[in-house]
Amino acid sequence: MSKRKIVVALGGNAILSTDASDKAQKEALKATAAYLVEIIKQGNELIISHGNGPQVGNLVLQQQAAASKSNPAMPLDTCVAMTQGSIGYWLQNALENAFKKEGIEKSVISVVSQVVVDQNDVAFIHPTKPIGPFLTQSEAHEQMLLSDDTYQEDAGRGWRKVVPSPKPVSILEYPIINQLVENGVVTISVGGGGIPVIEAENEFVGVEAVIDKDFASQKLAELVEADLLVILTGVEQVYINYNQPNQKALTTVTTKELYQYIQENQFAPGSMLPKIEAAISFVEHNPKGKAVITSLENLGNFNTENAGTTIVRG
């Protein structure tokens, strides 16, 4: 099989589950790196993106708790940049060690990435992107009474703070990301969906928002003309009628079929739907490309028939 340029989107919840310590998250990424190495061993070029929902939410809480007049809390765009740096460092280190263990001579680098959004995006009026820890309904209501923050129920898993989530328009660093990949460097980029910036008065300015990691990954895959976009989730395949007696796994599915399933409300808005929409957008903007939605544990099986859910144009 010829070498492919593959973008793999890791979820922030795959890095942090219940233990938010530095040690636990490094251990999680050590396990993640072992799966990512399988893509390299197949002769592919790899670009990795990652979420940061739990991490940036926790960081915002820490910033607020320690804020003072002389040491004010950092705004959300800066917190996104900070988690890009910390998660990028952890993953970069884990991959370097995994390469060494496997005898692979490969360089890896993290790129602090700015993602351009439209300042007129309606998302700034209607915040929807969950960040931070899961709370009970009573805890969320208490937080809303104490602040101007908005909390919403998140796919049956609890209540989380929600912030504006504008769609990505472009990625400022994509040319250098592509250049690195073309030179064989494994690149970690658009962490946490990227640092949201708007263009105002001929300057790029950070804004208080979080970009969905899957849409940022789709935009990156589109801009670097990737052959494959892989979006990781907690299940091996996408299902319709999920958790019902007539549940059915999707193996290969067309964009037309997915549009129909969306109309049927088959995919949860805060969970699977953004992944489906990102996969559709990539395939429609890159006719030669494919998208796969699957689990981390299934990463090494892309050369196997019916591995994960493959989205194709049609």
Side-chain angles (χ1 to χ4, degrees):
M1 180 175 287
S2 60
K3 180 171 67 175
R4 294 177 294 177
K5 186 186 297 182
I6 300 177
V7 173
V8 175
L10 300 173
N13 289 307
I15 306 164
L16 188 158
S17 53
T18 56
D19 187 344
S21 69
D22 171 271
K23 180 179 179 181
Q25 293 185 80
K26 285 179 178 177
E27 283 299 314
L29 283 169
K30 181 178 179 180
T32 296
Y35 290 109
L36 292 169
V37 165
E38 293 302 312
I39 293 178
I40 301 296
K41 289 166 70 174
Q42 292 172 8
N44 301 299
E45 297 296 349
L46 178 60
I47 305 172
I48 306 163
S49 62
H50 61 80
N52 71 342
Q55 293 85 357
V56 76
N58 288 343
L59 180 57
V60 167
L61 291 176
Q62 292 167 354
Q63 290 282 318
Q64 291 172 345
S68 66
K69 187 175 181 179
S70 60
N71 187 26
M74 294 294 105
L76 186 53
D77 60 313
T78 298
C79 288
V80 171
M82 292 165 74
T83 55
Q84 271 195 13
S86 59
I87 297 172
Y89 151 58
W90 294 334
L91 183 53
Q92 186 173 321
N93 180 261
L95 283 167
E96 288 167 342
N97 289 332
F99 291 160
K100 186 175 181 180
K101 183 178 179 181
E102 293 285 343
I104 298 172
E105 293 186 3
K106 202 81 168 167
S107 297
V108 55
I109 192 167
S110 304
V111 178
V112 175
S113 312
Q114 301 171 87
V115 176
V116 181
V117 299
D118 184 349
Q119 61 184 318
N120 296 315
D121 194 306
V122 296
F124 288 107
I125 302 172
H126 304 289
T128 59
K129 180 64 177 176
I131 64 169
F134 290 96
L135 303 179
T136 65
Q137 184 174 358
S138 61
E139 289 172 333
H141 285 175
E142 182 179 351
Q143 288 297 319
M144 284 190 281
L145 290 173
L146 296 173
S147 68
D148 294 329
D149 296 337
T150 300
Y151 284 76
Q152 293 179 359
E153 196 270 337
D154 185 2
R157 297 176 293 178
W159 288 64
R160 297 176 77 185
K161 178 180 176 178
V162 290
V163 298
S165 184
K167 291 290 180 66
V169 175
S170 188
I171 298 167
L172 294 184
E173 292 78 15
Y174 91 84
I176 190 64
I177 293 169
N178 199 38
Q179 186 178 341
L180 287 164
V181 176
E182 294 289 345
N183 282 278
V185 179
V186 175
T187 307
I188 304 163
S189 59
V190 296
I195 304 161
V197 297
I198 60 171
E199 189 168 8
E201 298 180 359
N202 208 31
E203 290 186 348
F204 291 106
V205 181
V207 291
E208 288 265 317
V210 171
I211 301 165
D212 187 282
K213 169 264 305 178
D214 296 317
F215 289 122
S217 302
Q218 171 268 315
K219 179 59 66 174
L220 176 64
E222 175 191 329
L223 290 171
V224 302
E225 299 181 348
D227 300 294
L228 182 64
L229 169 63
V230 181
I231 300 176
L232 299 182
T233 185
V235 292
E236 186 174 316
Q237 292 175 308
V238 177
Y239 294 87
I240 55 172
N241 305 317
Y242 186 59
N243 276 341
Q244 299 178 32
N246 58 341
Q247 172 179 292
K248 178 185 175 182
L250 302 177
T251 51
T252 298
V253 60
T254 66
T255 53
K256 182 178 179 180
E257 290 171 321
L258 286 175
Y259 278 124
Q260 180 59 44
Y261 292 141
I262 291 171
Q263 290 296 315
E264 297 171 4
N265 297 317
Q266 287 283 354
F267 311 118
S271 179
M272 186 59 74
L273 182 58
K275 303 179 192 311
I276 296 292
E277 291 176 333
I280 290 173
S281 183
F282 172 67
V283 171
E284 290 185 336
H285 284 91
N286 187 352
K288 295 181 180 179
K290 292 183 179 181
V292 172
I293 299 176
T294 191
S295 64
L296 175 65
E297 295 76 11
N298 202 37
L299 263 184
N301 297 324
F302 288 133
N303 294 335
T304 304
E305 187 177 359
N306 297 333
T309 295
T310 300
I311 295 90
V312 295
R313 200 177 195 190

